[in-house]
PDB file of all heavy atoms in Angstrom:
ATOM      1  N   ILE A   1       0.870  -1.180   0.000  1.00  0.00           N
ATOM      2  CA  ILE A   1      -0.005  -0.004   0.001  1.00  0.00           C
ATOM      3  C   ILE A   1       0.901   1.223  -0.007  1.00  0.00           C
ATOM      4  O   ILE A   1       1.638   1.484   0.952  1.00  0.00           O
ATOM      5  CB  ILE A   1      -0.935   0.012   1.219  1.00  0.00           C
ATOM      6  CG1 ILE A   1      -1.770  -1.276   1.251  1.00  0.00           C
ATOM      7  CG2 ILE A   1      -1.842   1.242   1.181  1.00  0.00           C
ATOM      8  CD1 ILE A   1      -2.613  -1.432   2.493  1.00  0.00           C
ATOM      9  N   GLY A   2       0.861   1.976  -1.094  1.00  0.00           N
ATOM     10  CA  GLY A   2       1.745   3.109  -1.264  1.00  0.00           C
ATOM     11  C   GLY A   2       1.272   4.361  -0.533  1.00  0.00           C
ATOM     12  O   GLY A   2       0.137   4.436  -0.035  1.00  0.00           O
ATOM     13  N   CYS A   3       2.136   5.341  -0.515  1.00  0.00           N
ATOM     14  CA  CYS A   3       1.870   6.597   0.174  1.00  0.00           C
ATOM     15  C   CYS A   3       0.695   7.359  -0.442  1.00  0.00           C
ATOM     16  O   CYS A   3       0.080   8.190   0.216  1.00  0.00           O
ATOM     17  CB  CYS A   3       3.148   7.450   0.133  1.00  0.00           C
ATOM     18  SG  CYS A   3       3.420   8.410   1.624  1.00  0.00           S
ATOM     19  N   ASP A   4       0.407   7.070  -1.707  1.00  0.00           N
ATOM     20  CA  ASP A   4      -0.724   7.691  -2.400  1.00  0.00           C
ATOM     21  C   ASP A   4      -1.944   6.773  -2.391  1.00  0.00           C
ATOM     22  O   ASP A   4      -2.920   7.033  -3.094  1.00  0.00           O
ATOM     23  CB  ASP A   4      -0.353   8.033  -3.843  1.00  0.00           C
ATOM     24  CG  ASP A   4       0.727   9.092  -3.914  1.00  0.00           C
ATOM     25  OD1 ASP A   4       0.662  10.070  -3.143  1.00  0.00           O
ATOM     26  OD2 ASP A   4       1.647   8.945  -4.758  1.00  0.00           O
ATOM     27  N   TYR A   5      -1.869   5.662  -1.610  1.00  0.00           N
ATOM     28  CA  TYR A   5      -2.975   4.741  -1.374  1.00  0.00           C
ATOM     29  C   TYR A   5      -3.261   3.813  -2.558  1.00  0.00           C
ATOM     30  O   TYR A   5      -4.284   3.131  -2.560  1.00  0.00           O
ATOM     31  CB  TYR A   5      -4.241   5.504  -0.947  1.00  0.00           C
ATOM     32  CG  TYR A   5      -3.910   6.570   0.072  1.00  0.00           C
ATOM     33  CD1 TYR A   5      -4.050   7.917  -0.237  1.00  0.00           C
ATOM     34  CD2 TYR A   5      -3.384   6.226   1.325  1.00  0.00           C
ATOM     35  CE1 TYR A   5      -3.681   8.895   0.679  1.00  0.00           C
ATOM     36  CE2 TYR A   5      -3.032   7.202   2.246  1.00  0.00           C
ATOM     37  CZ  TYR A   5      -3.172   8.538   1.905  1.00  0.00           C
ATOM     38  OH  TYR A   5      -2.807   9.495   2.807  1.00  0.00           O
ATOM     39  N   ASP A   6      -2.350   3.782  -3.523  1.00  0.00           N
ATOM     40  CA  ASP A   6      -2.426   2.755  -4.553  1.00  0.00           C
ATOM     41  C   ASP A   6      -1.901   1.438  -3.956  1.00  0.00           C
ATOM     42  O   ASP A   6      -1.072   1.450  -3.040  1.00  0.00           O
ATOM     43  CB  ASP A   6      -1.597   3.136  -5.772  1.00  0.00           C
ATOM     44  CG  ASP A   6      -2.293   4.172  -6.646  1.00  0.00           C
ATOM     45  OD1 ASP A   6      -3.428   3.890  -7.087  1.00  0.00           O
ATOM     46  OD2 ASP A   6      -1.729   5.252  -6.868  1.00  0.00           O
ATOM     47  N   THR A   7      -2.389   0.337  -4.505  1.00  0.00           N
ATOM     48  CA  THR A   7      -1.965  -0.977  -4.014  1.00  0.00           C
ATOM     49  C   THR A   7      -1.227  -1.713  -5.122  1.00  0.00           C
ATOM     50  O   THR A   7      -1.599  -1.631  -6.298  1.00  0.00           O
ATOM     51  CB  THR A   7      -3.178  -1.818  -3.571  1.00  0.00           C
ATOM     52  OG1 THR A   7      -4.058  -1.997  -4.680  1.00  0.00           O
ATOM     53  CG2 THR A   7      -3.911  -1.151  -2.427  1.00  0.00           C
ATOM     54  N   PHE A   8      -0.182  -2.447  -4.731  1.00  0.00           N
ATOM     55  CA  PHE A   8       0.666  -3.126  -5.700  1.00  0.00           C
ATOM     56  C   PHE A   8       0.880  -4.582  -5.284  1.00  0.00           C
ATOM     57  O   PHE A   8       0.854  -4.899  -4.106  1.00  0.00           O
ATOM     58  CB  PHE A   8       2.014  -2.415  -5.814  1.00  0.00           C
ATOM     59  CG  PHE A   8       1.901  -0.971  -6.224  1.00  0.00           C
ATOM     60  CD1 PHE A   8       1.909   0.044  -5.259  1.00  0.00           C
ATOM     61  CD2 PHE A   8       1.763  -0.609  -7.552  1.00  0.00           C
ATOM     62  CE1 PHE A   8       1.803   1.372  -5.632  1.00  0.00           C
ATOM     63  CE2 PHE A   8       1.654   0.715  -7.935  1.00  0.00           C
ATOM     64  CZ  PHE A   8       1.652   1.703  -6.977  1.00  0.00           C
ATOM     65  N   PRO A   9       1.102  -5.467  -6.274  1.00  0.00           N
ATOM     66  CA  PRO A   9       1.184  -6.895  -5.976  1.00  0.00           C
ATOM     67  C   PRO A   9       2.563  -7.389  -5.581  1.00  0.00           C
ATOM     68  O   PRO A   9       2.828  -8.602  -5.668  1.00  0.00           O
ATOM     69  CB  PRO A   9       0.747  -7.520  -7.312  1.00  0.00           C
ATOM     70  CG  PRO A   9       1.256  -6.562  -8.346  1.00  0.00           C
ATOM     71  CD  PRO A   9       1.126  -5.199  -7.724  1.00  0.00           C
ATOM     72  N   CYS A  10       3.458  -6.512  -5.159  1.00  0.00           N
ATOM     73  CA  CYS A  10       4.793  -6.947  -4.766  1.00  0.00           C
ATOM     74  C   CYS A  10       5.445  -5.873  -3.897  1.00  0.00           C
ATOM     75  O   CYS A  10       4.916  -4.754  -3.797  1.00  0.00           O
ATOM     76  CB  CYS A  10       5.648  -7.259  -5.992  1.00  0.00           C
ATOM     77  SG  CYS A  10       6.248  -5.821  -6.868  1.00  0.00           S
ATOM     78  N   PRO A  11       6.588  -6.173  -3.269  1.00  0.00           N
ATOM     79  CA  PRO A  11       7.193  -5.236  -2.326  1.00  0.00           C
ATOM     80  C   PRO A  11       8.175  -4.235  -2.943  1.00  0.00           C
ATOM     81  O   PRO A  11       8.747  -3.425  -2.207  1.00  0.00           O
ATOM     82  CB  PRO A  11       7.941  -6.163  -1.367  1.00  0.00           C
ATOM     83  CG  PRO A  11       8.364  -7.305  -2.240  1.00  0.00           C
ATOM     84  CD  PRO A  11       7.240  -7.501  -3.225  1.00  0.00           C
ATOM     85  N   VAL A  12       8.378  -4.272  -4.247  1.00  0.00           N
ATOM     86  CA  VAL A  12       9.357  -3.389  -4.866  1.00  0.00           C
ATOM     87  C   VAL A  12       8.961  -1.924  -4.646  1.00  0.00           C
ATOM     88  O   VAL A  12       7.835  -1.535  -4.976  1.00  0.00           O
ATOM     89  CB  VAL A  12       9.484  -3.665  -6.375  1.00  0.00           C
ATOM     90  CG1 VAL A  12      10.403  -2.636  -7.042  1.00  0.00           C
ATOM     91  CG2 VAL A  12      10.016  -5.078  -6.614  1.00  0.00           C
ATOM     92  N   PRO A  13       9.841  -1.094  -4.090  1.00  0.00           N
ATOM     93  CA  PRO A  13       9.496   0.306  -3.867  1.00  0.00           C
ATOM     94  C   PRO A  13       9.567   1.114  -5.171  1.00  0.00           C
ATOM     95  O   PRO A  13      10.273   0.751  -6.103  1.00  0.00           O
ATOM     96  CB  PRO A  13      10.564   0.787  -2.880  1.00  0.00           C
ATOM     97  CG  PRO A  13      11.743  -0.087  -3.164  1.00  0.00           C
ATOM     98  CD  PRO A  13      11.178  -1.429  -3.559  1.00  0.00           C
ATOM     99  N   GLY A  14       8.802   2.185  -5.211  1.00  0.00           N
ATOM    100  CA  GLY A  14       8.869   3.084  -6.358  1.00  0.00           C
ATOM    101  C   GLY A  14       8.154   2.583  -7.604  1.00  0.00           C
ATOM    102  O   GLY A  14       8.515   2.959  -8.712  1.00  0.00           O
ATOM    103  N   LEU A  15       7.132   1.751  -7.412  1.00  0.00           N
ATOM    104  CA  LEU A  15       6.406   1.237  -8.565  1.00  0.00           C
ATOM    105  C   LEU A  15       5.516   2.319  -9.161  1.00  0.00           C
ATOM    106  O   LEU A  15       4.936   3.135  -8.438  1.00  0.00           O
ATOM    107  CB  LEU A  15       5.563   0.031  -8.164  1.00  0.00           C
ATOM    108  CG  LEU A  15       6.338  -1.241  -7.840  1.00  0.00           C
ATOM    109  CD1 LEU A  15       5.432  -2.275  -7.191  1.00  0.00           C
ATOM    110  CD2 LEU A  15       6.978  -1.819  -9.102  1.00  0.00           C
ATOM    111  N   PRO A  16       5.368   2.334 -10.484  1.00  0.00           N
ATOM    112  CA  PRO A  16       4.511   3.338 -11.119  1.00  0.00           C
ATOM    113  C   PRO A  16       3.031   3.027 -10.924  1.00  0.00           C
ATOM    114  O   PRO A  16       2.649   1.866 -10.715  1.00  0.00           O
ATOM    115  CB  PRO A  16       4.905   3.232 -12.601  1.00  0.00           C
ATOM    116  CG  PRO A  16       5.369   1.827 -12.771  1.00  0.00           C
ATOM    117  CD  PRO A  16       6.035   1.464 -11.468  1.00  0.00           C
ATOM    118  N   LYS A  17       2.216   4.050 -11.009  1.00  0.00           N
ATOM    119  CA  LYS A  17       0.787   3.894 -10.800  1.00  0.00           C
ATOM    120  C   LYS A  17       0.168   2.910 -11.792  1.00  0.00           C
ATOM    121  O   LYS A  17      -0.868   2.286 -11.508  1.00  0.00           O
ATOM    122  CB  LYS A  17       0.126   5.265 -10.932  1.00  0.00           C
ATOM    123  CG  LYS A  17      -1.342   5.308 -10.520  1.00  0.00           C
ATOM    124  CD  LYS A  17      -1.891   6.723 -10.639  1.00  0.00           C
ATOM    125  CE  LYS A  17      -3.365   6.756 -10.245  1.00  0.00           C
ATOM    126  NZ  LYS A  17      -3.569   6.476  -8.809  1.00  0.00           N
ATOM    127  N   SER A  18       0.799   2.736 -12.930  1.00  0.00           N
ATOM    128  CA  SER A  18       0.260   1.844 -13.952  1.00  0.00           C
ATOM    129  C   SER A  18       0.167   0.394 -13.483  1.00  0.00           C
ATOM    130  O   SER A  18      -0.577  -0.398 -14.059  1.00  0.00           O
ATOM    131  CB  SER A  18       1.110   1.915 -15.231  1.00  0.00           C
ATOM    132  OG  SER A  18       2.474   1.658 -14.935  1.00  0.00           O
ATOM    133  N   LEU A  19       0.919   0.023 -12.436  1.00  0.00           N
ATOM    134  CA  LEU A  19       0.856  -1.340 -11.911  1.00  0.00           C
ATOM    135  C   LEU A  19      -0.096  -1.450 -10.721  1.00  0.00           C
ATOM    136  O   LEU A  19      -0.262  -2.518 -10.149  1.00  0.00           O
ATOM    137  CB  LEU A  19       2.247  -1.830 -11.507  1.00  0.00           C
ATOM    138  CG  LEU A  19       2.394  -3.334 -11.220  1.00  0.00           C
ATOM    139  CD1 LEU A  19       2.055  -4.171 -12.441  1.00  0.00           C
ATOM    140  CD2 LEU A  19       3.794  -3.663 -10.719  1.00  0.00           C
ATOM    141  N   SER A  20      -0.754  -0.363 -10.364  1.00  0.00           N
ATOM    142  CA  SER A  20      -1.662  -0.380  -9.214  1.00  0.00           C
ATOM    143  C   SER A  20      -2.836  -1.320  -9.473  1.00  0.00           C
ATOM    144  O   SER A  20      -3.418  -1.340 -10.560  1.00  0.00           O
ATOM    145  CB  SER A  20      -2.190   1.032  -8.943  1.00  0.00           C
ATOM    146  OG  SER A  20      -3.197   1.013  -7.947  1.00  0.00           O
ATOM    147  N   MET A  21      -3.162  -2.103  -8.454  1.00  0.00           N
ATOM    148  CA  MET A  21      -4.324  -2.983  -8.513  1.00  0.00           C
ATOM    149  C   MET A  21      -5.600  -2.255  -8.099  1.00  0.00           C
ATOM    150  O   MET A  21      -6.705  -2.809  -8.210  1.00  0.00           O
ATOM    151  CB  MET A  21      -4.114  -4.189  -7.598  1.00  0.00           C
ATOM    152  CG  MET A  21      -2.920  -5.062  -7.937  1.00  0.00           C
ATOM    153  SD  MET A  21      -3.071  -5.956  -9.510  1.00  0.00           S
ATOM    154  CE  MET A  21      -2.053  -4.945 -10.597  1.00  0.00           C
ATOM    155  N   GLY A  22      -5.464  -1.025  -7.627  1.00  0.00           N
ATOM    156  CA  GLY A  22      -6.611  -0.242  -7.201  1.00  0.00           C
ATOM    157  C   GLY A  22      -6.195   0.707  -6.095  1.00  0.00           C
ATOM    158  O   GLY A  22      -5.172   0.508  -5.430  1.00  0.00           O
ATOM    159  N   ASN A  23      -6.981   1.757  -5.879  1.00  0.00           N
ATOM    160  CA  ASN A  23      -6.693   2.741  -4.840  1.00  0.00           C
ATOM    161  C   ASN A  23      -7.733   2.615  -3.735  1.00  0.00           C
ATOM    162  O   ASN A  23      -8.931   2.496  -4.012  1.00  0.00           O
ATOM    163  CB  ASN A  23      -6.721   4.146  -5.447  1.00  0.00           C
ATOM    164  CG  ASN A  23      -6.145   5.203  -4.513  1.00  0.00           C
ATOM    165  OD1 ASN A  23      -6.725   5.502  -3.470  1.00  0.00           O
ATOM    166  ND2 ASN A  23      -5.000   5.748  -4.880  1.00  0.00           N
ATOM    167  N   ILE A  24      -7.237   2.635  -2.500  1.00  0.00           N
ATOM    168  CA  ILE A  24      -8.175   2.393  -1.376  1.00  0.00           C
ATOM    169  C   ILE A  24      -9.102   3.574  -1.135  1.00  0.00           C
ATOM    170  O   ILE A  24     -10.021   3.468  -0.302  1.00  0.00           O
ATOM    171  CB  ILE A  24      -7.404   2.030  -0.083  1.00  0.00           C
ATOM    172  CG1 ILE A  24      -6.509   3.177   0.364  1.00  0.00           C
ATOM    173  CG2 ILE A  24      -6.613   0.764  -0.265  1.00  0.00           C
ATOM    174  CD1 ILE A  24      -5.888   2.925   1.721  1.00  0.00           C
ATOM    175  N   LYS A  25      -8.922   4.660  -1.854  1.00  0.00           N
ATOM    176  CA  LYS A  25      -9.907   5.736  -1.811  1.00  0.00           C
ATOM    177  C   LYS A  25     -11.133   5.387  -2.639  1.00  0.00           C
ATOM    178  O   LYS A  25     -12.207   5.987  -2.464  1.00  0.00           O
ATOM    179  CB  LYS A  25      -9.293   7.044  -2.295  1.00  0.00           C
ATOM    180  CG  LYS A  25      -8.278   7.667  -1.337  1.00  0.00           C
ATOM    181  CD  LYS A  25      -7.816   9.006  -1.833  1.00  0.00           C
ATOM    182  CE  LYS A  25      -6.881   9.681  -0.820  1.00  0.00           C
ATOM    183  NZ  LYS A  25      -6.426  11.021  -1.277  1.00  0.00           N
ATOM    184  N   ASP A  26     -10.958   4.423  -3.534  1.00  0.00           N
ATOM    185  CA  ASP A  26     -12.055   4.010  -4.430  1.00  0.00           C
ATOM    186  C   ASP A  26     -12.678   2.688  -4.038  1.00  0.00           C
ATOM    187  O   ASP A  26     -13.868   2.469  -4.243  1.00  0.00           O
ATOM    188  CB  ASP A  26     -11.549   3.936  -5.878  1.00  0.00           C
ATOM    189  CG  ASP A  26     -10.932   5.236  -6.365  1.00  0.00           C
ATOM    190  OD1 ASP A  26     -11.495   6.297  -6.056  1.00  0.00           O
ATOM    191  OD2 ASP A  26      -9.881   5.170  -7.041  1.00  0.00           O
ATOM    192  N   ASN A  27     -11.848   1.777  -3.524  1.00  0.00           N
ATOM    193  CA  ASN A  27     -12.332   0.443  -3.120  1.00  0.00           C
ATOM    194  C   ASN A  27     -11.643   0.032  -1.838  1.00  0.00           C
ATOM    195  O   ASN A  27     -10.550   0.506  -1.515  1.00  0.00           O
ATOM    196  CB  ASN A  27     -12.027  -0.594  -4.206  1.00  0.00           C
ATOM    197  CG  ASN A  27     -12.713  -0.286  -5.524  1.00  0.00           C
ATOM    198  OD1 ASN A  27     -12.114   0.289  -6.424  1.00  0.00           O
ATOM    199  ND2 ASN A  27     -13.985  -0.669  -5.637  1.00  0.00           N
ATOM    200  N   THR A  28     -12.270  -0.869  -1.099  1.00  0.00           N
ATOM    201  CA  THR A  28     -11.630  -1.371   0.113  1.00  0.00           C
ATOM    202  C   THR A  28     -10.467  -2.303  -0.259  1.00  0.00           C
ATOM    203  O   THR A  28     -10.400  -2.811  -1.389  1.00  0.00           O
ATOM    204  CB  THR A  28     -12.613  -2.151   0.998  1.00  0.00           C
ATOM    205  OG1 THR A  28     -12.993  -3.372   0.328  1.00  0.00           O
ATOM    206  CG2 THR A  28     -13.863  -1.320   1.286  1.00  0.00           C
ATOM    207  N   ILE A  29      -9.581  -2.532   0.692  1.00  0.00           N
ATOM    208  CA  ILE A  29      -8.433  -3.410   0.442  1.00  0.00           C
ATOM    209  C   ILE A  29      -8.909  -4.816   0.103  1.00  0.00           C
ATOM    210  O   ILE A  29      -8.363  -5.468  -0.796  1.00  0.00           O
ATOM    211  CB  ILE A  29      -7.499  -3.416   1.660  1.00  0.00           C
ATOM    212  CG1 ILE A  29      -6.960  -2.014   1.914  1.00  0.00           C
ATOM    213  CG2 ILE A  29      -6.346  -4.397   1.453  1.00  0.00           C
ATOM    214  CD1 ILE A  29      -6.184  -1.867   3.211  1.00  0.00           C
ATOM    215  N   LYS A  30      -9.933  -5.285   0.792  1.00  0.00           N
ATOM    216  CA  LYS A  30     -10.452  -6.628   0.520  1.00  0.00           C
ATOM    217  C   LYS A  30     -11.045  -6.708  -0.884  1.00  0.00           C
ATOM    218  O   LYS A  30     -10.860  -7.714  -1.588  1.00  0.00           O
ATOM    219  CB  LYS A  30     -11.486  -7.016   1.566  1.00  0.00           C
ATOM    220  CG  LYS A  30     -11.931  -8.470   1.490  1.00  0.00           C
ATOM    221  CD  LYS A  30     -12.873  -8.810   2.634  1.00  0.00           C
ATOM    222  CE  LYS A  30     -13.294 -10.273   2.557  1.00  0.00           C
ATOM    223  NZ  LYS A  30     -14.224 -10.634   3.686  1.00  0.00           N
ATOM    224  N   GLU A  31     -11.754  -5.659  -1.306  1.00  0.00           N
ATOM    225  CA  GLU A  31     -12.302  -5.631  -2.657  1.00  0.00           C
ATOM    226  C   GLU A  31     -11.195  -5.657  -3.699  1.00  0.00           C
ATOM    227  O   GLU A  31     -11.294  -6.333  -4.725  1.00  0.00           O
ATOM    228  CB  GLU A  31     -13.175  -4.385  -2.839  1.00  0.00           C
ATOM    229  CG  GLU A  31     -14.494  -4.436  -2.086  1.00  0.00           C
ATOM    230  CD  GLU A  31     -15.250  -3.119  -2.125  1.00  0.00           C
ATOM    231  OE1 GLU A  31     -14.621  -2.063  -2.443  1.00  0.00           O
ATOM    232  OE2 GLU A  31     -16.459  -3.114  -1.822  1.00  0.00           O
ATOM    233  N   ILE A  32     -10.114  -4.928  -3.442  1.00  0.00           N
ATOM    234  CA  ILE A  32      -8.990  -4.911  -4.367  1.00  0.00           C
ATOM    235  C   ILE A  32      -8.319  -6.283  -4.422  1.00  0.00           C
ATOM    236  O   ILE A  32      -7.991  -6.790  -5.496  1.00  0.00           O
ATOM    237  CB  ILE A  32      -7.979  -3.817  -3.965  1.00  0.00           C
ATOM    238  CG1 ILE A  32      -8.605  -2.428  -4.161  1.00  0.00           C
ATOM    239  CG2 ILE A  32      -6.688  -3.946  -4.758  1.00  0.00           C
ATOM    240  CD1 ILE A  32      -7.801  -1.295  -3.552  1.00  0.00           C
ATOM    241  N   TRP A  33      -8.129  -6.907  -3.254  1.00  0.00           N
ATOM    242  CA  TRP A  33      -7.490  -8.219  -3.182  1.00  0.00           C
ATOM    243  C   TRP A  33      -8.257  -9.259  -3.983  1.00  0.00           C
ATOM    244  O   TRP A  33      -7.657 -10.109  -4.664  1.00  0.00           O
ATOM    245  CB  TRP A  33      -7.358  -8.656  -1.729  1.00  0.00           C
ATOM    246  CG  TRP A  33      -6.705  -9.978  -1.523  1.00  0.00           C
ATOM    247  CD1 TRP A  33      -7.320 -11.170  -1.228  1.00  0.00           C
ATOM    248  CD2 TRP A  33      -5.317 -10.281  -1.626  1.00  0.00           C
ATOM    249  NE1 TRP A  33      -6.388 -12.182  -1.113  1.00  0.00           N
ATOM    250  CE2 TRP A  33      -5.150 -11.657  -1.359  1.00  0.00           C
ATOM    251  CE3 TRP A  33      -4.184  -9.509  -1.890  1.00  0.00           C
ATOM    252  CZ2 TRP A  33      -3.907 -12.288  -1.368  1.00  0.00           C
ATOM    253  CZ3 TRP A  33      -2.935 -10.132  -1.903  1.00  0.00           C
ATOM    254  CH2 TRP A  33      -2.802 -11.503  -1.645  1.00  0.00           C
ATOM    255  N   ASN A  34      -9.565  -9.189  -3.918  1.00  0.00           N
ATOM    256  CA  ASN A  34     -10.403 -10.164  -4.628  1.00  0.00           C
ATOM    257  C   ASN A  34     -10.910  -9.633  -5.976  1.00  0.00           C
ATOM    258  O   ASN A  34     -11.702 -10.312  -6.644  1.00  0.00           O
ATOM    259  CB  ASN A  34     -11.610 -10.540  -3.758  1.00  0.00           C
ATOM    260  CG  ASN A  34     -11.200 -11.276  -2.481  1.00  0.00           C
ATOM    261  OD1 ASN A  34     -10.382 -12.183  -2.530  1.00  0.00           O
ATOM    262  ND2 ASN A  34     -11.765 -10.873  -1.360  1.00  0.00           N
ATOM    263  N   GLY A  35     -10.449  -8.438  -6.361  1.00  0.00           N
ATOM    264  CA  GLY A  35     -10.988  -7.777  -7.530  1.00  0.00           C
ATOM    265  C   GLY A  35     -10.494  -8.336  -8.856  1.00  0.00           C
ATOM    266  O   GLY A  35      -9.504  -9.067  -8.943  1.00  0.00           O
ATOM    267  N   GLU A  36     -11.186  -7.932  -9.913  1.00  0.00           N
ATOM    268  CA  GLU A  36     -10.898  -8.445 -11.247  1.00  0.00           C
ATOM    269  C   GLU A  36      -9.525  -7.999 -11.742  1.00  0.00           C
ATOM    270  O   GLU A  36      -8.842  -8.763 -12.438  1.00  0.00           O
ATOM    271  CB  GLU A  36     -11.991  -8.015 -12.228  1.00  0.00           C
ATOM    272  CG  GLU A  36     -11.764  -8.452 -13.668  1.00  0.00           C
ATOM    273  CD  GLU A  36     -11.592  -9.962 -13.818  1.00  0.00           C
ATOM    274  OE1 GLU A  36     -12.130 -10.724 -12.976  1.00  0.00           O
ATOM    275  OE2 GLU A  36     -10.924 -10.383 -14.788  1.00  0.00           O
ATOM    276  N   LYS A  37      -9.107  -6.779 -11.434  1.00  0.00           N
ATOM    277  CA  LYS A  37      -7.820  -6.314 -11.952  1.00  0.00           C
ATOM    278  C   LYS A  37      -6.679  -7.166 -11.406  1.00  0.00           C
ATOM    279  O   LYS A  37      -5.755  -7.543 -12.152  1.00  0.00           O
ATOM    280  CB  LYS A  37      -7.590  -4.853 -11.609  1.00  0.00           C
ATOM    281  CG  LYS A  37      -6.354  -4.273 -12.278  1.00  0.00           C
ATOM    282  CD  LYS A  37      -6.291  -2.765 -12.187  1.00  0.00           C
ATOM    283  CE  LYS A  37      -5.085  -2.236 -12.963  1.00  0.00           C
ATOM    284  NZ  LYS A  37      -4.996  -0.744 -12.915  1.00  0.00           N
TER     285      LYS A  37
END
C-alpha cells in the first residue's frame, strides 16, 4: 500500500501507478485483493 494509497502486488518500492491494482480511496483493500484487476 503506497503513500498515495495505490496498491501493488509486490514489495518493490517506487512502482509506477500503472501497476496499481486499485486505490483504497475508491475500493476497500479486501475488494482490491479479490478484484478483477
Side-chain angles (χ1 to χ4, degrees):
I1 303 174
C3 216
D4 295 318
Y5 317 113
D6 283 303
T7 60
F8 302 97
C10 75
V12 174
L15 289 168
K17 190 178 179 67
S18 55
L19 192 61
S20 173
M21 300 292 101
N23 192 292
I24 62 173
K25 289 185 176 181
D26 303 319
N27 298 97
T28 68
I29 298 171
K30 189 175 181 180
E31 288 172 343
I32 293 169
W33 180 257
N34 295 314
E36 178 57 27
K37 187 168 185 179

